[in-house]
Amino acid sequence: MSRRLQRKWSKMRLGQRQAKALPPLAAALLLAMAACSAPEAANRQAAQDEPLAQAAADDAPYYAELPLNELMVHVLQYSADGIWERQGSVVDAAGEHSLFPKNDEEWEKAESAALTLAEVTNTLLVPRRRVREAEWDRAVEAVRKVAIEAAKAAEKQDKQAFFSAGEKLDAACDACHIRYDPRFKPVGG
């Protein structure tokens, strides 16, 4: 519990102890007035804090020490793999096995992987990482949109839509890598 909440809680408890000494009607009236004024005061304080919080957020530092090639492998691809590893099927000596999520918990993990990927695409737009080209921004946006599409499909537990989003994600990633990583060779290419 934060110190601010602890102080507020202590004051509330102190007020309750003092109210015991008052006649019951006066105590109820006092507590009702305190309860009514608390949300109003909290809203007033929040309104006062909002411009400060926004200014702090706009000026907040960001950290981009991880080189782009490591960011791609350890963060973006890791998140994308959370989508791809839950799609399609594998065939082994025992037969064909679906990789799609099989229950609510597994679908939740697929959705989380997709939402994580959508959010981490923002790391490609921070200074010292962002390539100052409109095509870069469009490529990042394409990956983000497909990741959101995958998340929505996972939320609905729609295997076909989830698989389709995985294919689109693969194409969006390949298109960006072909343009920005001269060493990249697409699978089958």
Side-chain angles (χ1 to χ4, degrees):
M1 189 180 304
S2 73
R3 290 189 189 277
R4 184 175 177 188
L5 286 176
Q6 286 174 341
R7 285 194 302 269
K8 191 172 186 176
W9 178 250
S10 294
K11 287 179 183 178
M12 286 174 50
R13 288 180 49 220
L14 176 62
Q16 288 170 347
R17 285 194 302 266
Q18 290 172 344
K20 288 179 185 175
L22 298 174
L25 182 59
L29 184 59
L30 182 62
L31 288 174
M33 288 174 28
C36 289
S37 65
E40 184 179 305
N43 288 342
R44 229 182 0 260
Q45 184 63 45
Q48 291 171 351
D49 291 346
E50 189 173 326
L52 294 174
Q54 184 60 44
D58 290 344
D59 296 336
Y62 56 87
Y63 304 97
E65 276 71 34
L66 193 61
L68 187 57
N69 61 338
E70 288 187 42
L71 176 78
M72 286 292 181
V73 172
H74 295 292
V75 179
L76 279 101
Q77 182 164 345
Y78 180 82
S79 298
D81 285 345
I83 297 169
W84 290 321
E85 69 189 15
R86 292 177 171 88
Q87 298 183 336
S89 59
V90 293
V91 179
D92 61 17
E96 186 173 346
H97 308 280
S98 172
L99 297 175
F100 287 102
K102 292 164 188 58
N103 55 47
D104 289 346
E105 183 181 337
E106 289 181 12
W107 278 109
E108 180 74 24
K109 288 179 181 179
E111 182 184 6
S112 293
L115 291 172
T116 300
L117 178 61
E119 284 300 310
V120 300
T121 60
N122 288 311
T123 63
L124 298 172
L125 299 173
V126 298
R128 294 194 307 224
R129 283 211 185 106
R130 180 176 173 260
V131 175
R132 293 179 178 251
E133 293 179 10
E135 185 58 36
W136 176 266
D137 295 344
R138 282 191 290 276
V140 171
E141 179 64 10
V143 171
R144 190 189 73 74
K145 281 183 177 180
V146 173
I148 294 293
E149 183 180 326
K152 288 178 181 177
E155 183 179 30
K156 294 176 185 174
Q157 299 185 10
D158 183 337
K159 290 179 183 178
Q160 187 54 45
F162 188 63
F163 187 77
S164 176
E167 289 179 320
K168 291 176 189 175
L169 177 60
D170 189 43
C173 291
D174 282 357
C176 186
H177 293 171
I178 287 167
R179 179 172 173 100
Y180 293 103
D181 183 357
R183 299 164 294 150
F184 177 73
K185 301 286 185 249
V187 176

